[in-house]
């Protein structure tokens, strides 16, 4: 299952722009982070899912050397040499994700040249739904299809993460890329970012997610994201010197060890570590809760997660706090900020038959507080895929 409309539109724009149909087309979804905030780069664990919105990437051959790339929403085309290490280009930032992926693929002998490309996405920008990871993954899948080369799915995720780290400048972990690649229809994925193992988790049939977006600016590259990552690494180094077992990352510290020793490390690093270590603990407990169908208790962890985001990691903001409280009042089972923070959206778990009513209520409550959020019902969806064009009809 993929967003057919966006694929049809992308193919149409590609055909009109270059006068020829694409020969390789791929689609990759965005994601919601359900639990395990800022744990991925600390070798922790998460629950997430791919969503029913994504990016489509199209490729056809051209006679000119290099890559021509069209952003389907802006109808702007640029050209570049995919062999160039063109990182952190401030002029055309939307192209950096694609340039990064193609550059790293070239480094793995998956070279692409003399091509025309188009991308188009249905994920709202800045909503915290990982539109950038979806673009990176869609690019990689399309390049593999076009070149006929192969690369393992985990390797694709790692390569896309390198593009985001070095070409877009956000030192993110692997959560977004893995969610986009390994998503499951009506399921969650439970990822372990130490072993890179991915476990599918079934969701009760009557559960859906709401994403409530208060529309505040969200750009992880300019946010304190990279600073927080440094603080987490500092906390791990300080604990390594303190505890009688090796600490490589925050994954190696139990909540008990943290509580007993938190006053002995730098106060700022301790606050950041508090959130991450409690998140890893919640995810671990969440595995058993979900396996035993204890959804209400699992959902409560989302409220708890938001609380340590607000007080300890300090990656929330007034608007997200208001939305979480509105969701609680409206009867959501759980709600929290999803993704990096400092903007983006709130994810809430609700019973499917209550979704519309709760959605409406949240919006009403938010309006009384001066916010104008939008809310969407999200269906957990399958991960990235190559699209065979005989299965689609172009308008
Ligand atoms: C962003 C990053 C992810 C992850 C989340 C926070 O989405 O891209 O790697 O760190 O923030 O959990």
């Amino acid at each position: 299952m993929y967003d057919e409309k966006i694929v049809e539109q992308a193919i149409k724009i590609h055909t009109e722009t270059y006068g020829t149909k694409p020969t390789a087309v791929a689609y990759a979804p965005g994601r919601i982070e359900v639990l395990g905030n800022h744990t991925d780069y600390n070798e922790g664990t998460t629950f997430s899912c791919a969503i029913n919105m994504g990016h489509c990437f199209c490729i056809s051959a051209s006679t000119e050397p290099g890559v021509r790339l069209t952003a389907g929403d802006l109808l702007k085309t640029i050209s570049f040499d995919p062999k160039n290490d063109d990182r952190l280009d401030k002029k055309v930032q939307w192209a950096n994700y694609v340039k990064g992926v193609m550059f790293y693929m070239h480094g793995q002998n998956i070279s692409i040249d003399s091509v025309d490309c188009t991308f188009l996405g249905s994920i709202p920008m800045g909503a915290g739904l990982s539109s950038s990871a979806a673009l990176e993954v869609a690019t990689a899948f399309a390049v593999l299809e076009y070149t006929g080369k192969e690369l393992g799915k985990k390797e694709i995720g790692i390569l896309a993460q390198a593009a985001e780290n070095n070409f877009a400048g956000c030192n993110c972990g692997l959560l977004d890329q893995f969610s986009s690649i390994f998503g499951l229809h009506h399921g969650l994925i439970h990822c372990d970012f130490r072993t890179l193992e991915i476990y599918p988790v079934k969701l009760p049939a009557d559960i859906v997610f709401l994403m409530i977006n208060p529309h505040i600016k969200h750009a992880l590259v300019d946010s304190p994201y990279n600073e927080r990552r440094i603080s987490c690494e500092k906390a791990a180094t300080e604990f390594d010197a303190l505890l009688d077992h090796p600490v490589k990352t925050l994954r190696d510290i139990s909540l008990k060890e943290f509580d007993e020793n938190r006053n002995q490390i730098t106060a700022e690093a301790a606050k950041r570590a508090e959130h991450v270590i409690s998140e890893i603990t919640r995810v671990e407990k969440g595995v058993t809760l979900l396996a035993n169908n204890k959804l209400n208790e699992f959902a409560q962890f989302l409220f708890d997660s938001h609380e340590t985001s607000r007080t300890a990691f300090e990656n929330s903001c007034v608007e997200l706090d208001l939305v979480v409280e509105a969701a609680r009042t409206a009867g959501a089972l759980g709600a929290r900020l999803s993704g990096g923070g400092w903007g983006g959206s709130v994810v809430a778990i609700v019973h499917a038959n209550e979704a519309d009513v709760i959605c409406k209520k949240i919006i009403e409550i938010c309006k009384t507080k001066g916010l104008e959020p939008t809310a969407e019902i999200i269906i957990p969806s399958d991960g990235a895929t190559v699209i065979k064009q005989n299965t689609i009809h172009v308008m």
Side-chain angles (χ1 to χ4, degrees), residues 31 33 36-41 172-176 220 225 339-340:
R31 65 97 187 90
E33 174 196 280
N37 191 236
H38 286 265
T39 60
D40 57 353
Y41 55 82
C172 64
L174 271 167
L175 168 75
D176 304 349
L220 287 185
Y225 185 98

Side-chain angles (χ1 to χ4, degrees), residues 222-249:
D222 306 321
S223 77
Y225 185 98
N226 292 351
E227 258 171 64
R228 288 293 188 278
R229 184 167 178 160
I230 293 168
S231 301
C232 291
E233 284 159 7
K234 184 170 160 46
T237 309
E238 292 193 54
F239 269 107
D240 186 44
L242 213 59
L243 299 181
D244 57 8
H245 63 81
V247 174
K248 183 173 163 243
T249 66

